[in-house]
Amino acid sequence: MKRFTLAIVLLFVALTASAQKFGVTGGVTMSQFENIKDSGSNGYNVGIAGNFPLALGFSLQPELVYNVKGAALPGASDAKYSTGYCELGLQAQWGLDLIVAKPYVMVEPYIGGAVSNSLKLNGQSVRESMGDIAERLECGFALGAGLEILYNLQLSAKYFWTVGSILDGDRKINTGLGSIASGQINEMLDGAGNFTGTTISLTFFF
């Protein structure tokens, strides 16, 4: 995984080597398990971005972010699961240049690798190697819109969904807190599917 994370960083460097402007980005990530209702949870995203203006209102914007996605497990002793991903996304943007502002729409494929995992029950961390349970790699797509102000400040929102399952279905979690809690969590995680959700981010270009 360290090699994969390094590969993502090097790919970002290659993509932004000739970018016209660079910046920092950060915001809120609101995610949930696709197949579990009422499993929403809040995380965050923070990282760096580059921007390549193109013709006819188009631009490309690669972003390298640390994105924490998670979900609550209702009915399972107040259980919360989260994964922090190192993600590389490539936004294709199109907008109308109104001189002082530019509203735009975007589509963004992304790839990532899990660098941290957490499972908590009633606020207490479960001593479990989630890295052995969670799938390490992810990929997905996002659609969204934003507003760029004075060429150096962007406010954007996007809906994302990952492809494939979050967890390795062959692994089980033994919480050490009793068979009932363990059974509830395993039952829900078996049908969790993938992460979906929304990010709201602010990007500042230098």
Side-chain angles (χ1 to χ4, degrees):
M1 179 50 59
K2 291 182 179 179
R3 291 180 178 178
F4 180 77
T5 302
L6 178 60
I8 290 179
V9 173
L10 293 177
L11 182 56
F12 174 80
V13 172
L15 287 173
T16 58
S18 60
Q20 180 171 319
K21 53 186 179 181
F22 295 92
V24 293
T25 183
V28 177
T29 299
M30 296 167 284
S31 58
Q32 64 182 16
F33 288 138
E34 181 184 35
N35 297 332
I36 300 179
K37 294 182 179 180
D38 302 320
S39 62
S41 181
N42 293 334
Y44 65 92
N45 59 87
V46 61
I48 53 180
N51 188 274
F52 302 82
L54 304 174
L56 303 176
F58 288 94
S59 62
L60 293 177
Q61 185 163 306
E63 294 186 348
L64 180 64
V65 300
Y66 178 69
N67 195 4
V68 178
K69 302 174 183 178
L73 299 177
S77 302
D78 190 27
K80 294 184 179 180
Y81 171 72
S82 65
T83 301
Y85 293 97
C86 177
E87 291 182 346
L88 175 62
L90 182 59
Q91 293 182 15
Q93 302 176 351
W94 178 83
L96 296 173
D97 190 348
L98 305 178
I99 302 178
V100 296
K102 179 183 178 181
Y104 63 89
V105 294
M106 73 173 88
V107 59
E108 177 186 22
Y110 61 86
I111 59 173
V115 295
S116 66
N117 290 282
S118 172
L119 176 63
K120 292 185 177 181
L121 291 176
N122 296 319
Q124 300 294 319
S125 295
V126 174
R127 294 184 178 180
E128 187 82 42
S129 179
M130 297 300 293
D132 293 335
I133 297 171
E135 295 289 353
R136 296 299 187 94
L137 306 181
E138 64 153 6
C139 62
F141 298 89
L143 296 173
L147 180 66
E148 182 175 299
I149 303 173
L150 297 177
Y151 301 102
N152 66 346
L153 187 64
Q154 287 183 355
L155 177 64
S156 63
K158 59 186 178 184
Y159 177 80
F160 66 84
W161 63 97
T162 54
V163 177
S165 178
I166 299 169
L167 303 180
D168 184 344
D170 295 331
R171 302 298 183 97
K172 298 297 182 183
I173 296 174
N174 179 8
T175 65
L177 299 178
S179 59
I180 295 178
S182 298
Q184 287 177 324
I185 293 172
N186 281 313
E187 182 180 354
M188 290 186 179
L189 292 181
D190 281 344
N194 52 27
F195 279 126
T196 63
T198 304
T199 62
I200 300 176
S201 302
L202 189 65
T203 304
F204 178 76
F205 291 104
F206 300 103

